[in-house]
Amino acid sequence: MVARLIDEDPEQAYAYSRIALRLASRVAAVREAAGFAAYATQKYAEALAEFRAARRMTGSVELWPVMADCERGLGRPEKAMAMAGEPEVQKLDKAGQVEMRLVAAGARRDMGQLDAAIVTLQSPELASNAVHPWTPRLRYAYADALLEAGREDEAREWFGKALEADKDGATDASDRLAELDGVEFVDALDDDEEEPVAADADRDDADEDGTPQA
């Protein structure tokens, strides 16, 4: 239930995770699921505790990047950066290493080190034309950092590359590109909702003298 609900209803997923913890707190998968549910609801201290517990039980390093991101969520980007330099990072698979790079770049931005964040994201994975599950997010993060640095033309290029790789709609790269191009979105629903009001006003005018008003 946590896995099923975490994207659509994280609060409900979190509630289920608390039940699971009461029933099976010594199961590593339960502690991991509870950690992700807490993370999704921005309960970073709780998430970090659960991830640490899961790691002690399994000995796995795969949760290292999300643990570092919890440190960011707790306002400790320096700790996240320190974790990025630990030996555990070398034990991660490629996806985990890319995730750690994203976290490290985010920590740099948290500390106001924008240029360093941009350099952190510049990697063989970013330069590669191959598309992996993490490719859209990596390109998007790079584009976002470039835009914050005022490098708009480069940002537009990389938002475009992110969109090109983003077949599942994991990012809002298309919206960001539209914003850069000055496209304004109009909510058609608002116009539809106004029409009955106008019709009611016409009927009121007609009631006053018996003839509809133009």
Side-chain angles (χ1 to χ4, degrees):
M1 289 305 296
V2 171
R4 183 179 298 175
L5 293 170
I6 196 164
D7 292 329
E8 297 179 2
D9 191 348
E11 290 292 346
Q12 189 65 32
Y14 175 76
Y16 274 109
S17 76
R18 304 311 298 173
I19 296 170
L21 279 174
R22 289 199 296 269
L23 296 173
S25 62
R26 295 186 179 182
V27 177
V30 170
R31 304 303 291 267
E32 182 176 333
F36 278 110
Y39 179 81
T41 53
Q42 300 184 4
K43 298 176 176 66
Y44 297 116
E46 192 174 318
L48 185 57
E50 298 300 341
F51 290 142
R52 283 173 173 167
R55 182 167 180 264
R56 284 195 301 271
M57 292 176 180
T58 64
S60 172
V61 298
E62 66 178 15
L63 294 172
W64 196 254
V66 72
M67 289 168 62
D69 207 39
C70 285
E71 296 287 2
R72 284 186 62 212
L74 291 168
R76 301 193 293 245
E78 297 86 355
K79 177 63 175 175
M81 282 302 307
M83 291 178 68
E86 294 291 339
E88 283 81 356
V89 177
Q90 302 306 316
K91 301 175 185 177
L92 294 168
D93 61 14
K94 180 60 68 177
Q97 290 180 5
V98 170
E99 193 65 36
M100 193 70 240
R101 188 177 293 278
L102 288 166
V103 173
R108 291 288 191 191
R109 292 179 70 171
D110 293 344
M111 294 186 289
Q113 300 173 3
L114 185 54
D115 289 341
I118 291 171
V119 171
T120 298
L121 292 168
Q122 292 170 345
S123 61
E125 294 79 19
L126 180 68
S128 173
N129 290 324
V131 175
H132 302 277
W134 37 261
T135 300
R137 293 177 56 240
L138 180 60
R139 293 178 179 179
Y140 183 95
Y142 188 59
D144 193 48
L146 289 169
L147 186 60
E148 186 176 342
R151 295 159 63 175
E152 187 172 308
D153 289 342
E154 292 173 85
R156 180 183 284 102
E157 176 188 354
W158 281 97
F159 277 129
K161 290 182 177 181
L163 179 60
E164 199 175 273
D166 192 2
K167 306 303 182 185
D168 299 323
T171 72
D172 65 346
S174 60
D175 292 344
R176 301 297 298 276
L177 274 172
E179 289 174 7
L180 285 171
D181 291 335
V183 176
E184 294 185 9
F185 295 97
V186 177
D187 191 344
L189 183 60
D190 290 343
D191 294 338
D192 292 342
E193 289 176 346
E194 290 175 2
E195 288 179 4
V197 176
D200 290 342
D202 288 344
R203 282 196 294 273
D204 291 342
D205 291 340
D207 290 342
E208 290 178 3
D209 59 8
T211 55
Q213 300 297 310

